[in-house]
Amino acid sequence: VANHGANPGARTRSKKRARDVVSICCAISAYCSAAVRLRCSFDGAEAVTETLLCRFPRRRFMELLERHPELEKELLTRASSELAAAQEQMLLLGRKSARERVASFLLALARRQSVGGGPVPLAMSRYDIADYLGLTVATVSREIQAIRASGLIAMPDRHQFVVVDPQRLATAAAA
């Protein structure tokens, strides 16, 4: 989720790119993000893969939750998970090295998107990854290359990776 110009006073890495990548939504988690932000100011989002969205008035959404309490419980569970992910992201940005940030990002993507240890889609551009991790594009590229050279991941192409050694990647993320 990219917040476009929500904080005009914020410094950006590039004067051409006035946005911040503030969240990554995978598959069904996207609708939870929308539900959590019902009362928040939010300027927009960008999809980096094919996406199906549904939009309806807040009143109708609240009526739906009243009719289906199990949906409300599921949304609360997902909102709690997203809050935990946001807390992890704050820790990542505040305390981890560049290598640890990139390893954490790759590990999180693999956990959310991988099916049976197969290739993990890497749909975000290096620019978006850099924005999300608070790094430069050059640093992201260099760290991905170093992680690959260490044998922790394999990259069949620029848009997907395979976790070769999950334990060592987790160690690199937590170091």
Side-chain angles (χ1 to χ4, degrees), residues 23-90:
S23 180
I24 300 171
C25 298
C26 297
I28 201 161
S29 70
Y31 81 86
C32 184
S33 296
V36 170
R37 293 182 178 91
L38 285 172
R39 294 212 180 262
C40 298
S41 172
F42 187 68
D43 294 329
E46 285 182 20
V48 294
T49 61
E50 187 174 317
T51 303
L52 176 65
L53 295 175
C54 177
R55 181 177 179 220
F56 44 93
R58 180 179 183 354
R59 178 185 50 77
R60 292 193 58 209
F61 180 70
M62 299 310 278
E63 290 169 359
L64 178 70
L65 292 179
E66 286 177 18
R67 285 192 314 271
H68 300 281
E70 70 280 3
L71 178 60
E72 185 172 25
K73 184 177 179 183
E74 179 64 21
L75 286 174
L76 180 59
T77 300
R78 289 177 186 271
S80 296
S81 295
E82 288 198 12
L83 180 58
Q87 290 171 332
E88 178 70 24
Q89 181 68 8
M90 286 187 288

Side-chain angles (χ1 to χ4, degrees), residues 21-163:
V21 177
V22 295
S23 180
I24 300 171
C25 298
C26 297
I28 201 161
S29 70
Y31 81 86
C32 184
S33 296
V36 170
R37 293 182 178 91
L38 285 172
R39 294 212 180 262
C40 298
S41 172
F42 187 68
D43 294 329
E46 285 182 20
V48 294
T49 61
E50 187 174 317
T51 303
L52 176 65
L53 295 175
C54 177
R55 181 177 179 220
F56 44 93
R58 180 179 183 354
R59 178 185 50 77
R60 292 193 58 209
F61 180 70
M62 299 310 278
E63 290 169 359
L64 178 70
L65 292 179
E66 286 177 18
R67 285 192 314 271
H68 300 281
E70 70 280 3
L71 178 60
E72 185 172 25
K73 184 177 179 183
E74 179 64 21
L75 286 174
L76 180 59
T77 300
R78 289 177 186 271
S80 296
S81 295
E82 288 198 12
L83 180 58
Q87 290 171 332
E88 178 70 24
Q89 181 68 8
M90 286 187 288
L91 174 68
L92 179 139
L93 292 173
R95 295 189 180 164
K96 291 189 174 188
S97 69
R99 175 77 40 90
E100 292 164 344
R101 291 180 196 192
V102 173
S104 295
F105 172 78
L106 295 172
L107 191 61
L109 275 184
R111 287 179 177 156
R112 292 170 87 175
Q113 297 183 19
S114 181
V115 179
V120 179
L122 189 58
M124 293 173 68
S125 71
R126 299 295 191 265
Y127 290 102
D128 288 341
I129 296 169
D131 281 348
Y132 184 66
L133 297 178
L135 300 169
T136 66
V137 177
T139 299
V140 167
S141 294
R142 186 172 49 252
E143 294 302 336
I144 288 174
Q145 176 60 27
I147 291 168
R148 189 188 67 74
S150 297
L152 306 181
I153 63 169
M155 295 194 71
D157 61 49
R158 286 184 56 81
H159 302 291
Q160 61 182 344
F161 67 95
V162 176
V163 177

Side-chain angles (χ1 to χ4, degrees), residues 3-8 10 12 14-20 131:
N3 204 357
H4 297 269
N7 186 358
T12 59
S14 168
K15 295 184 190 277
K16 296 177 185 176
R17 299 171 56 85
R19 70 187 182 104
D20 297 303
D131 281 348

